[in-house]
């Protein structure tokens, strides 16, 4: 009897599940959901592959590291999320366009059951499109790095949730406001929201007191946007409070969207707005207000791996073998030239500063960035040694994230030439500016080499002090034009 009872139970349940899957397959065929997923995937890939921008450059390329992949694909949500909202609104208009609203509401099937199928189809296609986008980049990341971890997953999962919530919210709004203008207006409104969060409303502008240059940092409100800041360091990730707060926010959006789908009266539609408002309030209470607690250094990725006095982060451990020899040689040369005042180690810089701020350097450690022009342009161990000498003597005071050319480069050429006893063309100096550097640096180098040894060392010490503190022009100090 027990076997017969179990068999009968199975006969009752299996067809029910099969019917649900069959309805879902029919919904996928007859809705705009597959088109939404296809447009989002193809447009994102086209954007990444056809535009040669920051996501292809250096250690922060979207195919270089897992965290960079997650952050760069999240940055595309500034227009992918508005697309999802627009497609969702178009899907929400379907019953109105077919003039079946009264017929469907008169059926005994609960409204939430009718809404679950199209909402599920939209969620599946949008999440799948985003997953395929990450998969395309992930295959390339596997080939480009030896450092694997899972701390990037929350960034991508929240990104997928933003897309799904945007699609469902658009569906609910389309059903509540059945007009042909609803989809484009909602899409433009969502795009305006993400743009304002990234450009003005979501950022706090300040001025760096040392340089007078403007700087800009995200504020708490900006984290309500699906978009993230550009990736300036492979060591930076989003903090746990950001993931939690954004998850609360997107769940509120999705709940409101679904509630609007099933609401039949104006009062019910007004009540349906409660989850998104409550989600925004709760999210703002959870999200950090300090920018340094929004984008944080991944401690596991920034862990140092050393070979003697030369250290790199765990993220770039595969570069240690090529750096160790030139690093030790640069320290030996600096020791011979500067004596006890010479730096004693070479280390990858793990300090992440705001864009536009003044760099901070160490007197005892040569700090390097694998995206620095001097380092990336070095060919072979000898040029890498010269690059490390330049970073140890004149590390450069161009504001973080900016590019510049002038006194720092001239001072680097003179200082490295003083250590080597011969003026050398440094890596990272283009052929077009090499003659300019030589014209500016050679007279100063000759004048410096003609001075007594004690005076040479005194000028180099004064130059290095100005360069490390980012106060004054190191080249003017070497030239004797600045007071020391």
């Amino acid at each position: 009897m027990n076997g017969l009872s179990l068999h009968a139970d199975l006969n009752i349940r299996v067809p029910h599940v099969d019917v649900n899957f069959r309805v879902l397959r029919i919904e996928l065929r007859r809705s705009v959901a597959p088109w939404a997923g296809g447009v989002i995937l193809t447009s994102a890939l086209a954007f990444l592959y056809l535009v040669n921008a920051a996501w292809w450059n250096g250690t922060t390329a979207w195919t270089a590291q897992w965290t960079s992949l997650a952050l760069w694909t999240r940055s595309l949500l500034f227009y992918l999320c508005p697309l999802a909202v627009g497609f969702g609104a178009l899907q929400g208009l379907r019953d109105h366009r077919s003039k079946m609203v009264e017929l469907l509401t008169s059926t005994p099937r609960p409204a939430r059951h009718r809404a679950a199928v199209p909402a599920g189809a939209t969620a599946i296609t949008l999440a799948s499109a985003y997953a395929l986008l990450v998969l395309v980049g992930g295959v390339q990341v596997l080939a480009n790095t030896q450092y694997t971890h899972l701390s990037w997953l929350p960034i991508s999962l929240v990104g997928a949730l933003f897309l799904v919530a945007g699609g469902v919210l658009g569906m609910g709004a389309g059903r509540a406001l059945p007009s042909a203008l609803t989809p484009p207006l909602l899409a433009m409104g969502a795009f305006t929201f993400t743009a304002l969060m990234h450009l003005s409303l979501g950022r706090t502008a300040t001025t760096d007191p040392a340089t007078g240059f403007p700087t800009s940092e995200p504020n708490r409100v900006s984290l309500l946007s699906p978009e993230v800041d550009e990736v300036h360091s492979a060591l930076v990730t989003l903090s746990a409070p950001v993931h939690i707060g954004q998850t609360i926010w997107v769940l509120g959006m999705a709940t409101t969207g679904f509630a609007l789908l099933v609401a039949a009266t104006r009062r019910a539609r007004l009540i349906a707005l409660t989850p998104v408002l409550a989600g925004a309030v709760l999210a703002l209470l959870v999200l950090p207000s300090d920018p340094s607690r929004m984008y944080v250094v991944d401690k596991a990725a920034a862990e140092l791996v050393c070979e003697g006095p030369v250290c790199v982060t765990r993220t770039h451990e595969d570069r240690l073998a090529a750096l160790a020899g030139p690093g030790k040689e640069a320290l030996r040369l600096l020791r011979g030239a500067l004596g006890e005042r010479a730096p004693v180690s070479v280390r990858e810089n793990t300090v992440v500063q705001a864009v536009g701020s003044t760099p901070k350097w160490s007197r005892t450690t040569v700090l390097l960035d694998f995206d620095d022009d001097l380092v990336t342009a070095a060919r072979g161990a000898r040029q890498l040694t010269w690059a490390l000498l330049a970073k140890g003597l004149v590390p450069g005071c161009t504001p973080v994230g900016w590019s510049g050319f002038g006194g720092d480069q001239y001072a680097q050429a003179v200082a490295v030439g003083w250590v080597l006893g011969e003026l050398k063309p440094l890596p990272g100096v283009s052929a077009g500016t090499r003659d300019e550097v030589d014209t500016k640096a050679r007279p100063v180098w000759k004048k410096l080499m003609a001075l007594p040894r004690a005076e040479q060392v005194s000028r180099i010490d004064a130059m290095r002090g100005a360069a490390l503190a980012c106060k004054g022009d190191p080249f003017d100090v070497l030239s004797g034009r600045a007071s020391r």
Side-chain angles (χ1 to χ4, degrees):
M1 291 296 292
N2 290 338
L4 290 175
S5 175
L6 178 60
H7 181 70
D9 186 59
L10 288 175
N11 285 338
I12 291 172
R13 294 183 180 179
V14 172
H16 177 69
V17 175
D18 182 63
V19 168
N20 287 342
F21 279 115
R22 187 163 63 247
V23 170
L24 183 59
R25 288 197 300 268
I26 293 172
E27 180 65 30
L28 286 171
R29 287 199 302 268
R30 66 194 290 262
S31 71
V32 299
W35 289 97
V39 169
I40 282 176
L41 176 60
T42 55
S43 65
L45 291 175
F47 197 85
L48 288 170
Y49 279 98
L50 298 181
V51 180
N52 185 15
W55 50 79
W56 282 113
N57 299 329
T59 61
T60 58
W62 79 291
T63 58
Q65 298 289 341
W66 290 105
T67 303
S68 299
L69 164 68
L71 290 172
W72 278 121
T73 48
R74 272 287 296 273
S75 71
L76 297 181
L77 294 184
F78 82 93
Y79 81 93
L80 293 181
C81 219
L83 276 179
V85 172
F87 274 111
L90 187 62
Q91 173 73 2
L93 291 177
R94 186 180 63 183
D95 292 347
H96 177 76
R97 292 197 311 269
S98 61
K99 300 180 180 180
M100 295 177 59
V101 176
E102 292 184 4
L103 175 62
L104 292 174
T105 53
S106 65
T107 61
R109 190 181 183 192
R112 63 181 182 274
H113 290 178
R114 294 196 307 271
V117 174
T122 298
I124 289 171
T125 54
L126 293 177
S128 298
Y130 194 75
L132 286 173
L133 174 65
V134 174
L135 179 62
V136 170
V139 171
Q140 299 172 81
V141 171
L142 282 173
N144 292 331
T145 183
Q146 298 177 5
Y147 178 61
T148 57
H149 59 100
L150 295 177
S151 59
W152 61 275
L153 270 178
I155 303 173
S156 293
L157 289 175
V158 173
L161 283 176
F162 263 113
L163 271 183
V164 170
V168 175
L169 184 63
M171 290 178 65
R175 183 174 176 82
L177 303 170
S179 168
L181 296 177
T182 299
L185 289 178
L186 281 177
M188 287 303 299
F191 181 78
T192 302
F193 172 77
T194 58
L196 289 176
M197 288 299 101
H198 187 67
L199 296 176
S200 57
L201 294 180
R203 304 196 70 83
T204 302
T206 57
T207 301
D208 186 90
T211 64
F213 290 115
T215 62
S216 176
E217 291 184 318
N219 58 37
R220 184 179 359 214
V221 178
S222 70
L223 298 175
L224 296 179
S225 170
E227 185 184 9
V228 297
D229 275 1
E230 286 190 8
V231 186
H232 296 290
S233 171
L235 305 177
V236 170
T237 188
L238 291 173
S239 65
V242 172
H243 299 319
I244 296 171
Q246 290 184 335
T247 300
I248 294 172
W249 165 234
V250 295
L251 290 178
M253 290 169 55
T255 303
T256 287
F258 190 79
L260 288 173
L261 272 177
V262 302
T265 64
R266 180 175 296 181
R267 181 172 179 272
R269 293 188 184 105
L270 290 175
I271 295 175
L273 299 177
T274 303
V276 71
L277 297 176
V281 172
L282 290 175
L284 290 174
L285 292 175
V286 173
L287 292 169
S289 58
D290 184 356
S292 64
R293 294 179 57 237
M294 300 175 189
Y295 294 87
V296 297
V297 174
D298 186 335
K299 293 181 179 180
E303 180 184 351
L304 292 179
V305 181
C306 302
E307 184 175 322
V310 181
C311 301
V312 298
T313 62
R314 182 73 64 186
T315 302
H316 298 129
E317 185 176 0
D318 54 339
R319 302 190 181 208
L320 180 58
L323 181 67
K328 293 173 183 177
E329 176 64 10
L331 291 176
R332 184 188 68 81
L333 291 171
L334 288 170
R335 177 74 178 182
L338 300 176
E340 294 182 355
R341 296 178 298 279
V344 295
S345 63
V346 174
R347 178 170 58 82
E348 183 180 355
N349 195 356
T350 59
V351 176
V352 178
Q353 297 179 249
V355 174
S357 60
T358 303
K360 296 179 180 179
W361 304 113
S362 168
R363 185 173 290 274
T364 59
T365 301
V366 179
L367 297 174
L368 80 148
D369 185 337
F370 285 112
D371 286 328
D372 189 281
D373 290 341
L374 275 170
V375 178
T376 58
R379 296 294 177 265
R382 185 172 63 168
Q383 286 197 359
L384 186 53
T385 299
W386 298 348
L388 294 174
L389 286 175
K391 297 300 293 182
L393 293 165
V394 188
C397 288
T398 303
V400 175
W402 294 34
S403 60
F405 186 85
D408 283 344
Q409 286 70 33
Y410 307 148
Q412 285 174 343
V414 174
V416 173
W418 175 75
V419 173
L420 299 176
E422 180 183 358
L423 207 60
K424 297 285 188 181
L426 295 180
V429 179
S430 64
T433 57
R434 190 169 298 164
D435 291 340
E436 178 186 346
V437 173
D438 189 76
T439 300
K440 293 279 189 179
R442 189 167 294 276
V444 176
W445 175 74
K446 288 182 177 179
K447 182 179 178 181
L448 178 67
M449 298 300 287
L451 294 173
R453 180 66 182 179
E455 179 64 18
Q456 293 179 26
V457 173
S458 176
R459 284 202 182 185
I460 291 293
D461 283 343
M463 173 220 66
R464 189 162 177 254
L468 292 172
C470 289
K471 294 180 180 179
D473 189 335
F475 189 63
D476 284 346
V477 176
L478 282 177
S479 304
R481 295 193 295 267
S483 58
R484 289 175 282 157

